Amino acid sequence: MKRAFALLVIPAAVSLAACGSSRAATTPDHASMTMISARAGPTSAAQHNDADVRFVQMMIPHHQQATEMAKLAATRASLPQVKSLAAAIQTAQGSQKETMTGWLKSWGATVPSAGPTGGVPIPGLQSDTAMKKLGTLSGTAFDKTFLQMMIKHHQGAVTMAETEQAQGQYPPAKNMAASIVTSQTAQITKMQDLLKGM
């Protein structure tokens, strides 16, 4: 009887030990959280990689500058097409900026205020000098300069969005990138046509 009892106890102990080791193995420490979150299911807000973070941190100040340019167009542009385009840019990019800010907060990543992140240049971002000059213009001169600057700005956004599509992992960010490529490519064409007619 004693021997039979011992045989029953040993498997139970092994089972408990296995549970304990399994629990320890599935409890990530802070350093490994990023790798584990990257393997999370599609509905997990943590399913992202470094490319997603880089894309969002660069796109937020990029969108911020675009909305600043668009606000100037409301009072300084002369062409109704430029004013209409600027209004569409301000609405779309303002909303996207709020969404991306929420992503960074949920990931525990830094939300940039303005300008390049970590000294990395942002494609299409206009210089402070160019922005100040735009703010002094009005009428046709504003329209032309605004269109030229925004074309370059959009081209930079498309470049970043294509990189996100190729390297990113977070589905909502990749979907936004696809939307940026489609909408801003169309706007680039429209702005180029407006410039040709000036």
Side-chain angles (χ1 to χ4, degrees):
M1 287 295 291
K2 288 183 178 180
R3 183 177 180 183
F5 178 73
L7 290 174
L8 288 173
V9 170
I10 291 172
V14 171
S15 177
L16 287 173
C19 283
S21 62
S22 176
R23 182 175 302 169
T26 57
T27 303
D29 57 22
H30 181 73
S32 62
M33 184 62 73
T34 301
M35 291 181 62
I36 292 175
S37 65
R39 296 194 297 268
T43 59
S44 172
Q47 185 193 5
H48 66 281
N49 61 14
D50 290 342
D52 296 315
V53 175
R54 183 168 56 251
F55 167 70
V56 175
Q57 287 182 330
M58 294 175 75
M59 194 61 80
I60 285 176
H62 198 271
H63 274 22
Q64 178 61 37
Q65 188 179 76
T67 57
E68 290 172 3
M69 293 168 65
K71 287 177 183 178
L72 288 173
T75 57
R76 295 180 174 274
S78 60
L79 289 175
Q81 299 97 317
V82 172
K83 290 187 176 183
S84 176
L85 175 67
I89 289 171
Q90 187 172 348
T91 299
Q93 298 200 22
S95 175
Q96 289 176 345
K97 180 174 172 286
E98 290 181 6
T99 298
M100 291 187 289
T101 297
W103 292 342
L104 289 179
K105 289 180 179 178
S106 72
W107 299 340
T110 301
V111 178
S113 53
T117 301
V120 178
I122 299 177
L125 199 71
Q126 301 297 293
S127 68
D128 289 341
T129 300
M131 289 294 291
K132 288 177 181 177
K133 179 183 177 181
L134 183 66
T136 66
L137 303 176
S138 61
T140 302
F142 177 90
D143 293 339
K144 186 174 182 178
T145 303
F146 172 86
L147 292 171
Q148 290 171 336
M149 289 175 63
M150 193 61 80
I151 286 172
K152 293 179 181 178
H153 204 268
H154 273 24
Q155 289 171 336
V158 170
T159 296
M160 290 190 289
E162 289 175 339
T163 299
E164 166 62 14
Q165 286 182 294
Q167 301 178 6
Q169 180 174 320
Y170 188 55
K174 290 171 71 72
N175 290 339
M176 181 180 287
S179 175
I180 287 172
V181 170
T182 300
S183 63
Q184 295 200 24
T185 297
Q187 289 177 342
I188 288 170
T189 300
K190 182 176 182 179
M191 290 187 287
Q192 289 172 333
D193 288 342
L194 286 172
L195 273 177
K196 289 176 183 178
M198 296 181 70

